Amino acid sequence: MKCEVCGNDYDKSFTVELGGQRHTFDSFECAIHALAPTCAHCGCHVVGHGVEEDGAIYCCAHCAHESGAMDVQDRHEGNGRAKAEALVGESSAESFPASDPPAWAMGRE
């Protein structure tokens, strides 16, 4: 079947049904190009969950906030940055001291 984006006739093409219409693609890249919404702020294709306010779709809360949509937040549980920093700190503490550096790294043979 022939891809509706690039025209490639590929034996492993697939169809996607969206809004009652069927589309044929030879790759996820072509499907994303044709069907994924674009961020109202930066214009990138929104492949993940994204965020939405007043009918506008954004790739992330940062782009939404930059456009004045202040009531949106990224879809995650808790404060992602604080959680990530805590995990990094915990991993770092558990691995210290990691090991002695190799002698060649210290200028010794």
Side-chain angles (χ1 to χ4, degrees), residues 54-67:
D54 295 329
I57 298 174
Y58 304 95
C59 62
C60 63
H62 172 77
C63 280
H65 295 165
E66 289 292 309
S67 295

Side-chain angles (χ1 to χ4, degrees), residues 1 10 12-16 23-31:
M1 293 173 33
Y10 186 49
K12 294 176 182 63
S13 50
F14 57 94
T15 59
V16 175
H23 303 273
T24 302
F25 305 105
D26 69 338
S27 67
F28 286 113
E29 180 181 8
C30 286

